[in-house]
Amino acid sequence: MGTPEFQPSEEWVVLGRTIELSQPANPHSAIPSAPWIMGIVNATPDSFSDGGDFLEPGAAVDRALLLVGEGAQIIDVGGESTRPGAHPVGIDEELRRVVPVVRNLAQQSDVCISIDTTKSQVARAALDAGAHIVNDISGLMFDPDMPHVCAAAGAGVICMHIRGTPQTMQDDPHYEDVVEEVRHFLEMRLTELERQGISRRHIVTDPGIGFGKTAEHNLEILGNISRFRSLGRPVCIGHSRKRFLKKLLGRPVDERSFATVGVSVAVALQGARIIRVHDVAATRDAILACRAVLTKCRVKNAE
């Protein structure tokens, strides 16, 4: 069996800038083709892992800057929990939570900023405040104005698969073939969003780990990243500390960091181009160290 390979480079257009997602995660490293790391900043009281820790704007910005220092190239700011069963948040409250964080972060860092929202008004305000990317768990379907907002701004878009809503998505999800059905959904969304004015070059796909899937469904998706890459767009994976890891290992949420890193390496080896995590430094270091060893393996095998 050959040594696993990191996948070829892929481009993403964000606000008129072409991002080469295969650039080294560490600019001082000679190791190419590591995925970009997206650090999570939840400005919420009820997110499943860190709810309440960064609710105040100052704390959220400090957290974001810490993650940037650890190697995150993207910071994903969210003001509404999307954990299973989470209650919806009103537009005014979500704006109050996220806009000051985005604005202050943009003033203090040139990191790419993503706004994690399904609401077009929140997306527009965040983009005006300095965000570059809209990360929408609904695949830009919950709010009919979202595609227009993203297209008008030229924003980068992360289009995710979900079945149902955060309130209903874990009510006995069923698929005949989860990989093919999720892939088909994403393929249809790429076509529809292009029709609504968003070029495919602006879109990254996300199969939606934990959003309307059982633990077995999640593992099937995580083991078949190539099927989603075959759509021709970069793939983002957001698995950090999620419930399927409890099913797999029996550990509570505050003991899932090591498992998160293991999955991160596995999907990086399959060509995932963005990995969304809470633990940036551990993820970055593990992927780069793995890549360094595999590079030596290839050199030796080629001799």
Side-chain angles (χ1 to χ4, degrees):
M1 180 181 295
T3 303
E5 296 280 349
F6 281 77
Q7 297 296 330
S9 65
E10 290 169 328
E11 295 179 345
W12 189 18
V13 177
V14 176
L15 298 183
R17 169 191 173 196
T18 299
I19 296 175
E20 178 56 68
L21 290 173
S22 68
Q23 289 299 308
N26 177 357
H28 304 294
S29 172
I31 302 169
S33 300
W36 277 36
I37 307 298
M38 172 184 276
I40 299 169
V41 175
N42 289 316
T44 61
D46 57 344
S47 291
F48 77 93
S49 177
D50 54 3
D53 290 350
F54 312 112
L55 187 57
E56 293 303 315
V61 172
D62 288 346
R63 176 63 176 174
L65 292 172
L66 175 65
L67 296 179
V68 172
E70 291 182 353
Q73 294 102 323
I74 306 170
I75 295 296
D76 193 39
V77 178
E80 179 177 37
S81 174
T82 54
R83 62 179 172 77
H87 297 293
V89 172
I91 290 174
D92 289 344
E93 176 61 16
E94 190 173 346
L95 287 168
R96 186 190 69 79
R97 293 176 183 178
V98 301
V99 171
V101 178
V102 171
R103 181 180 296 114
N104 290 334
L105 179 58
Q107 291 171 351
Q108 298 181 53
S109 174
D110 60 0
V111 70
C112 284
I113 302 171
S114 168
I115 179 65
D116 183 353
T117 187
T118 61
K119 301 180 181 71
S120 63
Q121 289 176 257
V122 175
R124 182 184 292 110
L127 290 166
D128 289 344
H132 310 86
I133 298 159
V134 176
N135 180 15
D136 186 337
I137 65 160
S138 77
L140 288 72
M141 292 185 70
F142 287 178
D143 185 332
D145 291 330
M146 184 67 93
H148 172 72
V149 167
C150 294
V157 171
I158 299 177
C159 175
M160 199 192 83
H161 172 273
I162 185 173
R163 176 163 288 185
T165 68
Q167 294 74 47
T168 65
M169 62 189 183
Q170 292 307 114
D171 294 345
D172 192 27
H174 175 77
Y175 302 84
E176 293 298 325
D177 182 336
V178 66
V179 172
E180 183 53 37
E181 290 174 51
V182 172
R183 184 189 181 281
H184 178 72
F185 170 89
L186 294 171
E187 185 175 31
M188 293 301 98
R189 291 308 295 155
L190 285 169
T191 299
E192 175 60 20
L193 292 174
E194 193 167 43
R195 188 189 68 80
Q196 296 185 59
I198 303 176
S199 165
R200 289 178 183 237
R201 297 183 68 221
H202 286 259
I203 304 173
V204 165
T205 64
D206 181 340
I209 299 301
F211 286 86
K213 288 102 177 165
T214 65
E216 184 62 28
H217 292 148
N218 291 321
L219 291 173
E220 286 286 339
I221 289 168
L222 292 167
N224 286 278
I225 302 301
S226 63
R227 294 288 295 126
F228 303 103
R229 293 195 72 242
S230 70
L231 293 171
R233 298 307 306 141
V235 175
C236 174
I237 296 294
H239 59 288
S240 188
R241 303 180 185 174
K242 287 187 176 177
R243 188 177 299 183
F244 80 98
L245 295 171
K246 178 181 179 180
K247 181 76 172 179
L248 186 66
L249 303 170
R251 295 194 179 277
V253 66
D254 58 350
E255 295 180 8
R256 298 177 197 163
S257 293
F258 298 147
T260 295
V261 171
V263 173
S264 297
V265 173
V267 297
L269 287 169
Q270 297 176 71
R273 303 315 309 154
I274 300 173
I275 298 180
R276 182 181 181 273
V277 291
H278 300 85
D279 303 294
V280 168
T283 299
R284 169 189 171 278
D285 288 359
I287 291 171
L288 289 177
C290 178
R291 174 61 175 160
V293 172
L294 294 180
T295 299
K296 293 299 184 183
C297 288
R298 287 200 298 275
V299 170
K300 184 176 180 180
N301 290 338
E303 292 175 349

